[in-house]
Amino acid sequence: MDNFWKTFLEIEKNKPYFKKLENFLLLEKQANKTIYPPSENIFYAFHFTPFNNIKVVILGQDPYHGENQAHGMSFSVPKSQKKIPPSLKNIFKEISSEFPNKNFIPKNGNLEYLAKQGVFLLNATLTVEAHKAGSHQQKGWEIFTDTVIQTLSVKNKNIVFLLWGAFAHKKSFLIDATKHCILKAPHPSPLSAYRGFFGCNHFIKANTYLRKNNKSEINWLE
């Protein structure tokens, strides 16, 4: 983890809300509840994408709550997980439609290739109980990740924020739209992807914005 994120985490972990959050997670573990992602991967996105390298933020809500799915990056699954989750399938479909000449066929659902390029894959809640979606919401994670978003907005510039779905849209108030690019669309879930996620052209639009601001584009195709 780079020095900025290390210092940031140290500061947040000393705040009362985070100590309550840690206590909650400890009690859950003591109750023998299975929590995803594994503890060593909770801050995986922070390890993978240094603060000053961040060009795009993709905001998710919860980690996946199935076995061998969550690994600390929004929408991403480990390489060992051969089944690509439905929302991620739709993300890949949209990428394919935006770059039709590239014959994009993802081998798996691991998005580390994007994180390495400066795509920060952040969930609003960083843990979840197995098979219980939303089980760790309103325990303190949102305070932490709202602070992350605000910090990115204040201390960085020319980041593209991809906000998909009503939950993510509500986070736009944390972002200074005069310094950054905010792109909104429906969630890529099968329930809503056909309401405007497909055809949103967010990946092309993100690259166009980055190029205009003298930043290297993201290669969205693995």
Side-chain angles (χ1 to χ4, degrees), residues 87 90 164-166 185-198:
S87 291
N90 287 338
W164 300 331
H187 196 277
S189 151
L191 298 172
S192 55
Y194 288 95
R195 296 184 203 148
F197 177 78
F198 290 137

Side-chain angles (χ1 to χ4, degrees), residues 124-176:
T125 303
L126 298 191
T127 57
V128 70
E129 184 181 344
H131 314 301
K132 289 189 179 180
S135 52
H136 288 188
Q137 290 176 10
Q138 306 306 318
K139 303 296 183 185
W141 279 127
E142 292 90 347
I143 300 171
F144 174 76
T145 53
D146 280 2
T147 307
V148 170
I149 295 166
Q150 283 181 311
T151 303
L152 283 166
S153 177
V154 171
K155 293 186 178 290
N156 224 319
K157 63 179 181 178
N158 303 136
I159 293 174
V160 182
F161 288 85
L162 301 183
L163 306 182
W164 300 331
F167 174 86
H169 295 176
K170 290 175 186 173
K171 301 293 184 179
S172 60
F173 81 96
L174 300 165
I175 305 159
D176 184 349

Side-chain angles (χ1 to χ4, degrees), residues 16-59:
Y17 85 87
F18 206 99
K19 292 189 181 299
K20 282 184 185 175
L21 171 60
E22 287 181 319
N23 189 54
F24 163 75
L25 292 172
L26 179 63
L27 291 172
E28 292 289 282
K29 287 180 181 178
Q30 287 174 348
N32 292 319
K33 292 182 180 179
T34 301
I35 295 172
Y36 296 130
S39 56
E40 66 271 16
N41 284 344
I42 290 172
F43 297 104
Y44 197 48
F46 296 81
H47 284 274
F48 232 87
T49 314
F51 182 84
N52 290 326
N53 291 5
I54 292 173
K55 295 187 281 188
V56 178
V57 175
I58 298 180
L59 185 64

